Amino acid sequence: MQYNFSKLKTDLLTTEKWLEKELSSIRTNRASPSILDIVRVEAYGSDMPISGLASITNEDPRTIRITPWDQVLVKSIEKSIMVANLGVSVAVDDRGIRVSFPELTSDRRREIVKMASVKFEQARIQVRKHRDLVNSDIAKKEKEGGMSEDDKFRLKTEGQKLIDQSSERLQSLMTKKEKEILN
C-alpha cells in the first residue's frame, strides 16, 4: 500500500523555513539587515516593514544604514527600532538612520544562544507533532482494514526517515547559528 507523504514533506519544509527565519532575526556579532524584519513601523495608516519604507544597507560589519524614501518617516522608524528592543543603538543623521551593533559580551552571547535554542526546540516539537499525526493516520488506516501490519511498519519507517532528514537540517541550521553567535 502507498501512503502520501506530501503533506508531511510540506509541513517539515514549512517548519525548517520558520526556524531559518527565526534564527536570522536573532542578532549575531555582525550587522545583518534581516534583524530588522521583525520591526513594524506605523506609516501611512498601517503597520509596514522597514524594508517597505526605506533602503537598508550595511555600512560596515557593525553598522546598518537605513535611508527612508520619505524623510518624514525617520522618527517613526527610529521609534519602532527602539521599541523592538533589539540591543542596538540608533542614531539619526542627515542621510537617515544608523543602527550600530555593539560588541557582544560572552554572557550576552550565551543568552543569545539560549534564545536560539528555544526556537530550535520549538521547531523540533513541531516536527514531532507532524510525525505523530502521520503515525496516527497510518494506524487509523490499518484499523480500518486498509493496510497490513507489515505495510504499517514499512510506512512508519519511511516517515521516520523523512523526520530524521528534517531533524538533521534543523540541527545544521542551529549549529551554524551557534557558531555565528559565538565567533
Side-chain angles (χ1 to χ4, degrees):
M1 163 151 203
Q2 289 293 327
Y3 184 82
N4 188 357
F5 286 107
S6 62
K7 180 171 178 2
L8 175 64
K9 290 177 183 176
T10 304
D11 291 344
L12 293 175
L13 187 61
T14 302
T15 301
E16 291 169 24
K17 288 192 182 302
W18 174 83
L19 180 64
E20 192 170 3
K21 182 177 181 270
E22 289 295 314
L23 291 179
S24 73
S25 70
I26 293 177
R27 184 178 158 232
T28 61
N29 212 15
R30 295 184 53 83
S32 171
S34 64
I35 195 170
L36 298 174
D37 289 348
I38 61 171
V39 178
R40 307 294 286 182
V41 179
E42 175 82 26
Y44 309 118
S46 65
D47 282 349
M48 299 179 68
I50 292 177
S51 60
L53 301 170
S55 63
I56 304 171
T57 56
N58 280 43
E59 267 188 3
D60 59 52
R62 291 210 186 314
T63 310
I64 295 174
R65 164 71 57 188
I66 301 171
T67 310
W69 296 314
D70 185 353
Q71 289 299 317
V72 174
L73 299 173
V74 170
K75 288 292 181 194
S76 297
I77 293 172
E78 177 190 23
K79 180 182 175 198
S80 296
I81 294 171
M82 301 284 253
V83 168
N85 196 18
L86 301 173
V88 297
S89 60
V90 181
V92 176
D93 59 22
D94 58 331
R95 294 186 338 198
I97 302 166
R98 280 183 44 216
V99 180
S100 300
F101 290 67
E103 182 70 37
L104 294 175
T105 64
S106 61
D107 289 342
R108 182 70 179 136
R109 288 176 197 265
R110 284 192 293 275
E111 281 179 38
I112 293 172
V113 168
K114 283 181 186 176
M115 286 177 12
S117 296
V118 167
K119 299 293 184 188
F120 173 63
E121 189 57 35
Q122 289 173 343
R124 288 179 52 186
I125 289 169
Q126 253 337 92
V127 167
R128 287 193 295 272
K129 285 180 183 176
H130 297 318
R131 180 197 60 204
D132 293 345
L133 284 173
V134 168
N135 286 345
S136 65
D137 189 40
I138 291 171
K140 182 177 134 193
K141 287 185 192 251
E142 184 208 12
K143 282 183 182 177
E144 292 172 351
M147 71 175 71
S148 69
E149 196 167 336
D150 288 342
D151 284 340
K152 176 181 89 169
F153 287 117
R154 183 181 53 77
L155 291 173
K156 282 187 175 185
T157 303
E158 283 180 39
Q160 188 60 45
K161 284 180 186 174
L162 294 172
I163 297 296
D164 292 343
Q165 290 169 353
S166 180
S167 294
E168 286 175 20
R169 289 190 292 269
L170 293 175
Q171 184 63 55
S172 163
L173 289 170
M174 181 59 192
T175 303
K176 179 181 171 193
K177 188 63 173 187
E178 199 170 356
K179 284 180 184 174
E180 270 181 45
I181 294 168
L182 296 174
N183 290 333

